[in-house]
Amino acid sequence: MSEKKGFFGRLKNGLTKTRDSFVSGMNAVFSGFSEIDDDFYEELEEQLIMADIGINTTTRIIEDLQSKVKEQKIKEAESCKELLKDSIKEQMRVHEDAYDFENKKSVVLFIGVNGVGKTTSVGKLAHQWKESGKKVLLAAADTFRAGAIDQLKEWSNRAGVEIIAGQEGADPAAIVYDAVAAAKARNTDLLLCDTAGRLHNKKNLMAELHKIYKIIENEYADAHLETFIVVDSTTGQNALVQAKQFSEVTDITGVILTKLDGTAKGGIAIAIQSELNIPVKYIGIGEGIDDLQKFDADAFVDALFE
């Protein structure tokens, strides 16, 4: 329990910038209106949009709130704060089975543009899963970015897990092929593949991912496949755009949202989940190796409002 509490404390700290802008705006709305009327909803809508929650999601939250207020015959603005929290949580709940893959033989692909913290996310999760007793193997399939292979090797040393890597510029699909063979031979639980991050040429990206998927499908058909897109929350709506573009070329099963501690745009977590219908599965709230954690919608929203 103390670990859970500890993370909630860190989450609250990590969301300070978001909370400062979000809470002051919200408080102004709730204290500025004694009764619930159109102006109240309009003001609330504006605050939610300003918090990077996005127009479509905000509309859904407001509509849900309006029907609850009507249903429960609530008159005072202050009384619907909890209802607002519930409406936001409903937009973000992660399904019970979202983390089942951690206990299966799985291949986890990490995709996303450069600079979002992709390789670091691979390293941190590798460390955590190894600590929890899993047999983890890394594949350095980002062969384009100078330094990506070395960075992943460093993480493999730090986490005490093995790595399959080739030369810079090597064919990423060939690395994945070797990694799959090694994962099967070594009876690995989780194979984590770091892939190249580029969006400017979707065709190349699609072809490359397609090759990688084919290999996994053909060579490791009994493994469960997860594809995580890693996005940097400090880029706000741009993170949503990236997630959207990648989801057009591949089937994404989850989002890793990094650098939440460095931004006031934490509302983007709500937008991504709601707009794309892809669950946020992990969030990063600091530099530490344990600062990348499973996403808990209830804790996230509570931390925002506290």
Side-chain angles (χ1 to χ4, degrees), residues 144-182:
F144 289 91
R145 180 171 70 84
I149 298 168
D150 290 341
Q151 193 187 352
L152 199 63
K153 280 181 177 168
E154 221 167 274
W155 272 109
S156 84
N157 289 335
R158 204 170 156 189
V161 299
E162 295 180 331
I163 184 171
I164 302 295
Q167 297 303 310
E168 208 173 290
D171 176 13
I175 305 288
V176 172
Y177 183 88
D178 292 345
V180 163

Side-chain angles (χ1 to χ4, degrees), residues 105 135-137 162 164 176-191 219-220 222-223:
K105 277 226 180 318
K135 201 164 180 201
V136 180
L137 179 66
E162 295 180 331
I164 302 295
V176 172
Y177 183 88
D178 292 345
V180 163
K184 290 198 294 192
R186 299 172 196 181
N187 199 21
T188 299
D189 296 313
L190 295 156
L191 169 60
E219 304 297 322
Y220 207 7
D222 56 342

